[in-house]
């Protein structure tokens, strides 16, 4: 009976070893995404602080909030007030930031685990549920689903502000959202049609 060889003691020839080690070139990319995550956190708190200050009556914060939700090219009147619609648009923008941040986490954690190195998180209380059965196919479907969620938030913001937008913009954004939806369905269907290995059985 053949003895199982410990994977940690496997010795590769120089060229295969070089090719296999090249996966670590992706590490700076994931570190860069972590920095991008930090930028999103900073942006989230700046927008949130502006919203709170505007609600408390700060004029400069109010101008910043209204400028952020105004249609491009549209000026903000000096006597403008914080309305339910403008608050909703700012909150949707904050939700958008959170969803993009979730997408970044999926790419960073899932991509590193799939393409670079195992994190050995089995048994850790904070291990993400989806990470236990993640692979390239599962990651693609989850990313496509996350993109649809982000697109839905953008579309909702557009519909709330529909009175200030042209029909061409509304139709274009709806078509783009449907294109994302159809793409995600195609990815999910393709994934189901492909033969699944032991790790995909979940």
């Amino acid at each position: 009976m053949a003895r199982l060889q410990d994977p940690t003691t496997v010795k590769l020839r120089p060229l295969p070893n070089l090719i296999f080690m090249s996966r670590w070139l992706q590490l700076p990319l994931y570190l860069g995404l972590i920095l991008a995550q930090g930028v999103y956190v900073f942006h989230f708190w700046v927008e949130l602080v502006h919203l709170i200050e505007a609600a408390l009556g700060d004029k400069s914060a109010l101008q910043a909030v209204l400028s952020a939700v105004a249609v491009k090219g549209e000026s903000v009147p000096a006597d403008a007030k914080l309305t339910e619609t403008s608050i909703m648009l700012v909150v949707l923008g904050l939700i958008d930031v959170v969803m993009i941040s979730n997408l970044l986490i999926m790419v960073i954690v899932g991509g590193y685990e799939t393409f670079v190195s195992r994190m050995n998180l089995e048994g850790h209380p904070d291990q993400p549920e989806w990470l236990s059965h993640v692979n390239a196919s599962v990651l693609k479907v989850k990313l496509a689903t996350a993109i649809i969620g982000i697109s839905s938030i953008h579309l909702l913001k557009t519909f709330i502000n529909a009175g200030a937008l042209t029909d061409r913009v509304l139709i274009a954004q709806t078509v783009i959202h449907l294109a994302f939806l159809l793409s995600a369905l195609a990815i999910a269907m393709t994934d189901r049609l492909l033969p699944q290995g032991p790790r995909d059985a979940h």
Side-chain angles (χ1 to χ4, degrees), residues 23 44 50 54 73 80 117 131 181 190:
R23 73 191 192 281
F44 179 93
H50 280 164
S117 180
L131 191 60
L181 182 59
T190 304

Side-chain angles (χ1 to χ4, degrees), residues 101-180:
S101 182
N102 291 340
L103 179 62
L104 281 170
I105 287 295
M106 282 189 194
V107 174
I108 295 168
V109 178
Y112 183 89
E113 172 86 8
T114 303
F115 300 110
V116 180
S117 180
R118 298 285 183 214
M119 292 185 173
N120 297 320
L121 295 176
E122 290 78 6
H124 194 284
D126 294 329
Q127 180 190 6
E129 182 274 333
W130 52 269
L131 191 60
S132 61
H133 52 269
V134 73
N135 58 33
S137 297
V138 173
L139 193 58
K140 281 191 296 185
V141 173
K142 287 191 175 294
L143 292 180
T145 306
I147 290 172
I148 290 174
I150 294 168
S151 176
S152 300
I153 295 296
H154 277 275
L155 194 60
L156 181 58
K157 288 172 65 177
T158 299
F159 286 159
I160 290 173
N161 209 19
L165 300 170
T166 64
D167 291 343
R168 182 178 179 182
V169 172
L170 294 172
I171 293 172
Q173 292 206 12
T174 304
V175 170
I176 291 171
H177 178 72
L178 290 175
F180 282 141

Side-chain angles (χ1 to χ4, degrees), residues 5-198:
Q5 191 172 15
D6 185 354
T8 59
T9 63
V10 174
K11 298 294 184 182
L12 298 177
R13 299 193 309 275
L15 183 56
N17 186 59
L18 175 63
I19 294 173
F20 184 57
M21 292 298 292
S22 67
R23 73 191 192 281
W24 288 101
L25 291 175
Q26 294 190 47
L27 181 59
L29 305 181
Y30 292 117
L31 294 177
L33 288 179
I34 293 173
L35 293 177
Q37 177 98 324
V39 172
Y40 263 106
V41 171
F42 178 76
H43 174 73
F44 179 93
W45 281 103
V46 168
E47 292 296 320
L48 182 59
V49 168
H50 280 164
L51 179 61
I52 294 172
E53 289 177 344
L56 294 176
D58 188 288
K59 295 296 184 182
S60 60
L62 177 62
Q63 285 295 315
V65 167
L66 295 179
S67 298
V69 299
V71 178
K72 182 180 286 188
E74 186 180 88
S75 59
V76 179
D79 58 345
K81 297 180 180 179
L82 196 63
T83 64
E84 183 182 354
T85 300
S86 58
I87 294 172
M88 191 180 303
L89 289 172
V90 173
V91 171
L92 286 174
L94 296 177
I95 294 173
D96 191 31
V97 171
V98 173
M99 296 190 71
I100 293 176
S101 182
N102 291 340
L103 179 62
L104 281 170
I105 287 295
M106 282 189 194
V107 174
I108 295 168
V109 178
Y112 183 89
E113 172 86 8
T114 303
F115 300 110
V116 180
S117 180
R118 298 285 183 214
M119 292 185 173
N120 297 320
L121 295 176
E122 290 78 6
H124 194 284
D126 294 329
Q127 180 190 6
E129 182 274 333
W130 52 269
L131 191 60
S132 61
H133 52 269
V134 73
N135 58 33
S137 297
V138 173
L139 193 58
K140 281 191 296 185
V141 173
K142 287 191 175 294
L143 292 180
T145 306
I147 290 172
I148 290 174
I150 294 168
S151 176
S152 300
I153 295 296
H154 277 275
L155 194 60
L156 181 58
K157 288 172 65 177
T158 299
F159 286 159
I160 290 173
N161 209 19
L165 300 170
T166 64
D167 291 343
R168 182 178 179 182
V169 172
L170 294 172
I171 293 172
Q173 292 206 12
T174 304
V175 170
I176 291 171
H177 178 72
L178 290 175
F180 282 141
L181 182 59
L182 292 175
S183 298
L185 288 174
I187 291 172
M189 289 178 63
T190 304
D191 182 59
R192 291 188 68 87
L193 291 174
L194 292 175
Q196 298 186 350

